[in-house]
């Protein structure tokens, strides 16, 4: 565990409904919360009231809690702040204005940069936990021509989505997440053969990113990619 003065990656965590004093499961290799993903200490603060269903749907009332939790992370030594849900990008501006360290709330921040890496006829696919709530305000693409190059697919209705909508959410096996994401990718590629890169919005999806890279042969970006990049800029 990081000491209060140790430079760390700070994660704004969702509510998980754990009993006081309960020990959380150790983060899996490759996950957002695992220090070995970055070779850098990781600390977290739970955002009060930030259950997954509220964050995915979008609830402006959560913004003060996000700001307070971010400030606590900085006080504990966070030099970069991220979040454990890509839909938290709704609070990107407010959190960034409240602290004096880089803030990267969602892998969706990478979207404009990734589009510029691709040929004009190529497309980028966003894989999200819930495409019903991954709207234009989250994508941040104002140019209508560029927007046509972005396709969005979700795993809503799948096992992982079903579990995350519960309070408290039960753990989902990595194999079950993989089934949901692989099926989503297959649907998107069938409909859009021009897809050249995949961007994983959901912070649970990095666990299956290696499989997706192997199955598709495409570049795959996620929240850990963005955190690694940002940490490299400050350490």
């Amino acid at each position: 565990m990081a000491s209060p003065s140790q430079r760390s990656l700070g994660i704004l965590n969702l509510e998980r409904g754990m009993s006081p004093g309960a020990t959380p499961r150790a983060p899996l290799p490759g996950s957002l919360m695992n220090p070995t993903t970055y070779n850098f200490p990781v600390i977290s603060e739970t955002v009060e009231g930030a259950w997954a269903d509220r964050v995915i749907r979008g609830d402006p009332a959560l913004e003060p809690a996000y700001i307070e939790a971010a400030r606590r992370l900085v006080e504990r030594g966070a030099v970069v702040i991220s979040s454990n849900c890509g839909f938290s990008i709704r609070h990107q501006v407010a959190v960034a204005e409240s602290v004096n360290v880089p803030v990267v709330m969602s892998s969706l921040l990478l979207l404009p940069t990734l589009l510029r890496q691709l040929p004009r006829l190529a497309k980028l696919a966003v894989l999200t936990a819930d495409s019903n709530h991954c709207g234009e305000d989250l994508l941040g693409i104002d140019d209508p021509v560029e927007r046509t190059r972005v396709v969005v697919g979700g795993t809503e209705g799948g096992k992982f989505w079903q579990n995350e909508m519960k309070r408290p959410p039960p753990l989902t096996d990595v194999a079950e997440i993989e089934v949901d994401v692989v099926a989503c990718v297959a649907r998107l590629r069938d409909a859009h053969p021009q897809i050249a890169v995949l961007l994983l919005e959901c912070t649970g999806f990095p666990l299956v990113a290696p499989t997706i890279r192997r199955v598709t042969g495409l570049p795959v970006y996620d929240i850990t990619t963005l955190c690694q990049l940002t940490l490299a800029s400050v350490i």
Side-chain angles (χ1 to χ4, degrees):
M1 180 177 294
S3 67
S5 61
Q6 189 172 14
R7 291 161 58 86
S8 305
L9 169 63
I11 306 295
L12 295 164
N13 213 359
L14 295 174
E15 286 272 17
R16 309 309 288 177
M18 296 191 63
S19 302
T23 302
R25 183 181 73 171
L28 297 174
S31 71
L32 169 68
M33 305 293 289
N34 195 319
T36 63
T37 303
Y38 321 96
N39 293 318
F40 200 74
V42 173
I43 58 176
S44 67
E45 288 280 345
T46 297
V47 178
E48 184 177 357
W51 296 96
D53 63 305
R54 288 184 71 188
V55 178
I56 289 174
R57 185 177 65 248
D59 187 344
L62 290 172
E63 199 147 278
Y66 268 95
I67 291 171
E68 292 171 10
R71 288 172 173 166
R72 292 196 300 269
L73 286 170
V74 172
E75 290 172 357
R76 294 174 56 195
V79 294
V80 171
I81 289 177
S82 189
S83 75
N84 198 8
C85 181
F87 287 87
S88 300
I89 195 172
R90 294 186 178 97
H91 309 292
Q92 170 71 31
V93 172
V95 173
E97 289 183 347
S98 70
V99 294
N100 60 351
V101 300
V103 174
V104 287
M105 299 286 279
S106 173
S107 63
L108 294 174
L109 294 172
L110 289 169
L111 207 162
T113 297
L114 296 180
L115 280 176
R116 296 187 70 177
Q117 294 180 7
L118 303 176
R120 284 179 295 173
L121 297 180
K123 292 191 174 184
L124 178 151
V126 174
L127 275 64
T128 174
D130 192 329
S131 61
N132 294 319
H133 293 94
C134 190
E136 304 305 314
D137 57 326
L138 273 64
L139 300 179
I141 303 296
D142 297 326
D143 185 331
V145 175
E146 290 292 271
R147 178 62 184 87
T148 63
R149 301 174 61 206
V150 179
V151 297
V152 179
T155 61
E156 58 271 12
K159 185 65 174 178
F160 181 59
W161 179 89
Q162 292 179 38
N163 284 346
E164 289 298 303
M165 292 301 103
K166 297 175 182 177
R167 300 186 183 187
L171 295 174
T172 306
D173 290 340
V174 174
E176 292 176 317
I177 300 175
E178 188 174 292
V179 168
D180 291 345
V181 178
V182 168
C184 181
V185 172
R187 291 192 301 269
L188 287 173
R189 296 188 82 190
D190 285 345
H192 304 278
Q194 309 94 326
I195 290 172
V197 65
L198 304 172
L199 178 61
L200 310 184
E201 168 276 321
C202 180
T203 56
F205 292 175
L207 290 169
V208 300
T211 297
I212 303 305
R213 291 187 184 100
R214 185 177 68 252
V215 168
T216 65
L218 296 177
V220 178
Y221 294 81
D222 59 42
I223 187 60
T224 66
T225 314
L226 180 55
C227 287
Q228 290 163 350
L229 171 66
T230 311
L231 285 168
S233 74
V234 299
I235 60 176

